[in-house]
Amino acid sequence: MPLVPRPADIPKIPRALRFYQVCSVTTGTFLMLLVVEMILRYAFGYYVEMSGPYGFVWLVPYDEVTAINLSLVVVTVHGWLYVVYLIACYLIWTFMRWSFLQLFVLAMGGVIPLLSFFLEAIYTRRVRDFLAQNR
């Protein structure tokens, strides 16, 4: 018999769902930026530099970075956003009382490119259907 959310947790679910949605989209967006940055860095040997001598945003070789290294900014921001995304996944998972496999699948959304966008749509629909049936 699958677990269902506790009646006391049902009013908390919409806020946790919104938090998950925002975190999912922002983490997924920065993951896509990270993929582009990794391709530029490891395939072509370029870093993204901001406010340097070449212009506002420019691709430069590693040894020529003199201004703000946007490549490192993207890596760092995605790392911290992923931590917040995991908190959002944990909250919605806890309130909905899903299996551990569901939490694992949600967590992979911040690691596998594009997956967070698909998971956000699927799990938002599941939660909204549950809320519609239990109000």
Side-chain angles (χ1 to χ4, degrees), residues 71-128:
S71 298
L72 295 178
V73 171
V74 168
V75 170
T76 304
V77 170
H78 171 70
W80 283 107
L81 284 175
Y82 184 63
V83 172
V84 175
Y85 173 74
L86 288 176
I87 293 168
C89 292
Y90 177 78
L91 286 174
I92 197 73
W93 173 76
T94 302
F95 290 145
M96 293 300 296
R97 300 182 73 191
W98 288 326
S99 69
F100 184 75
L101 178 63
Q102 301 291 334
L103 178 62
F104 180 76
V105 169
L106 286 170
M108 288 297 101
V111 178
I112 300 172
L114 298 176
L115 185 60
S116 68
F117 301 112
F118 293 110
L119 291 178
E120 186 270 328
I122 293 167
Y123 282 95
T124 296
R125 187 175 322 116
R126 285 185 188 176
V127 172
R128 285 188 177 154

Side-chain angles (χ1 to χ4, degrees), residues 30-31 33-35 37-38 41-42 47 69-82:
F30 268 87
L31 181 58
L33 288 173
L34 180 63
V35 167
E37 187 273 327
M38 291 293 178
R41 182 188 299 185
Y42 294 113
Y47 281 67
N69 189 343
L70 279 183
S71 298
L72 295 178
V73 171
V74 168
V75 170
T76 304
V77 170
H78 171 70
W80 283 107
L81 284 175
Y82 184 63

Side-chain angles (χ1 to χ4, degrees), residues 40-58:
L40 288 172
R41 182 188 299 185
Y42 294 113
F44 302 108
Y46 287 109
Y47 281 67
V48 182
E49 178 185 62
M50 184 173 107
S51 299
Y54 300 108
F56 182 66
V57 176
W58 204 259

